[in-house]
Amino acid sequence: MGRAFEYRKATKLKRWGHMAKTFTRIGKQISIAVKAGGPEPENNPTLRAIIANAKRENMPKDNIERAIKNAMGKDQSEYKEVNYEGYGPHGVAIFVETLTDNTTRTVGDVRSVFNKFSGNLGTQGSLSFLFDHKCVFTFKKKAEVDMDELILDLIDYGVGDEFDEDEEAGEITIYGDPKSFGDIQKHLESEGYEVTGAEFTRIPNDLKDVTPEQREVIDKMVEKLEDFDDVQTVYTNMKPEE
């Protein structure tokens, strides 16, 4: 399995937090997608991908439909994507993705956690060199699929030749250029693949070794950040446990 898959597998539970928080996160993503492309999944590929993720996270159908309906309301807040980057204890890089309708509140919340753990909040883009930004697609494998041929078809969209296969689930995961998200999704769907998950992720390209004691402190910092409703995902370059 590839570096990206191993990192995502090892850190997924810590990043996503508990179920209620996951549903809140997805609800905000639905709101942005509906406002940008409309409420009909068949005409809105971004919304279609988010719904696939929602189902993967066992989000009830009623919750999904309610989030779409709420996003169509005139009084709904306008969420913005804002990232915060810096270093936590022991020189571990921390990348925080948020969706917020109040940046003053959000930056205050994030800064308070960095301060509490003696970290340093940097400027936007200061850690871009440490994390590879990728879009990730998971889809059901066809019995007759030639993966080399499929990857060759997708190479123009920035999809790497390294892919991961979950034989038990019968699924393939590929990684591509975030700017090509819509084109990759369109190609997979046009070729008849069932997309079961589509998201963006950040994969550290320089993992930092930490002691068990240091890991415990960083984990606590990440948990504090994830407690805020505005926080979507927290990434670190801390080396996952073996």
Side-chain angles (χ1 to χ4, degrees):
M1 292 183 179
R3 172 178 67 91
F5 180 80
E6 288 295 340
Y7 175 78
R8 292 176 67 245
K9 180 180 178 182
T11 59
K12 185 176 179 62
L13 290 179
K14 286 186 175 64
R15 293 208 330 266
W16 288 146
H18 52 75
M19 186 173 293
K21 177 63 188 296
T22 298
F23 293 171
T24 299
R25 171 179 57 82
I26 294 174
K28 287 185 177 182
Q29 292 176 352
I30 288 174
S31 178
I32 289 179
V34 169
K35 289 181 181 300
E40 301 298 334
E42 58 268 26
N43 300 323
N44 187 336
T46 301
L47 177 60
R48 195 159 61 245
I50 294 171
I51 290 175
N53 288 342
K55 292 178 178 178
R56 193 180 185 89
E57 298 287 354
N58 298 314
M59 187 173 182
K61 182 179 179 181
D62 289 347
N63 291 42
I64 297 173
E65 292 177 348
R66 184 164 55 250
I68 293 174
K69 183 178 180 180
N70 289 342
M72 296 168 62
K74 295 181 180 179
D75 297 330
Q76 289 298 304
S77 299
E78 293 287 345
Y79 292 111
K80 293 168 47 177
E81 299 179 9
V82 184
N83 299 328
Y84 300 95
E85 307 162 47
Y87 287 91
H90 315 297
V92 172
I94 310 285
F95 198 109
V96 185
E97 294 181 338
T98 75
L99 285 179
T100 178
D101 58 355
N102 186 327
T103 55
T104 301
R105 176 192 66 223
T106 306
V107 69
D109 289 340
V110 172
R111 180 178 286 117
S112 70
V113 175
F114 272 82
N115 290 341
K116 181 176 181 179
F117 286 85
S118 300
N120 295 297
L121 191 60
T123 58
Q124 193 169 32
S126 60
L127 295 184
S128 59
F129 71 99
L130 272 178
F131 294 88
D132 293 330
H133 193 200
K134 297 289 185 180
C135 64
V136 186
F137 283 88
T138 300
F139 53 92
K140 290 293 185 180
K141 182 181 180 181
K142 292 181 182 179
E144 72 280 8
V145 66
D146 183 329
M147 284 305 301
D148 290 336
E149 184 176 326
L150 177 60
I151 293 298
L152 188 61
D153 290 341
L154 290 169
I155 199 167
D156 289 338
Y157 305 129
V159 172
D161 57 5
E162 185 179 81
F163 62 89
D164 301 300
E165 182 174 355
D166 185 335
E167 294 184 0
E168 184 176 346
E171 294 181 334
I172 298 291
T173 298
I174 60 174
Y175 305 84
D177 184 341
K179 296 178 181 178
S180 299
F181 181 94
D183 291 332
I184 296 171
Q185 181 182 7
K186 182 178 179 180
H187 183 84
L188 290 173
E189 292 177 344
S190 68
E191 292 296 318
Y193 290 97
E194 179 188 350
V195 176
T196 58
E199 63 178 331
F200 296 95
T201 192
R202 297 181 189 275
I203 302 166
N205 53 48
D206 182 22
L207 294 174
K208 187 172 182 61
D209 283 311
V210 294
T211 66
E213 293 76 15
Q214 292 171 340
R215 182 182 304 280
E216 184 177 355
V217 174
I218 297 298
D219 283 344
K220 286 181 179 179
M221 180 177 180
V222 171
E223 289 170 6
K224 288 292 185 183
L225 288 166
E226 289 179 336
D227 280 343
F228 297 122
D229 287 341
D230 293 338
V231 172
Q232 294 285 287
T233 315
V234 180
Y235 301 95
T236 81
N237 71 333
M238 180 171 61
K239 187 175 182 179
E241 290 181 287
E242 296 292 338

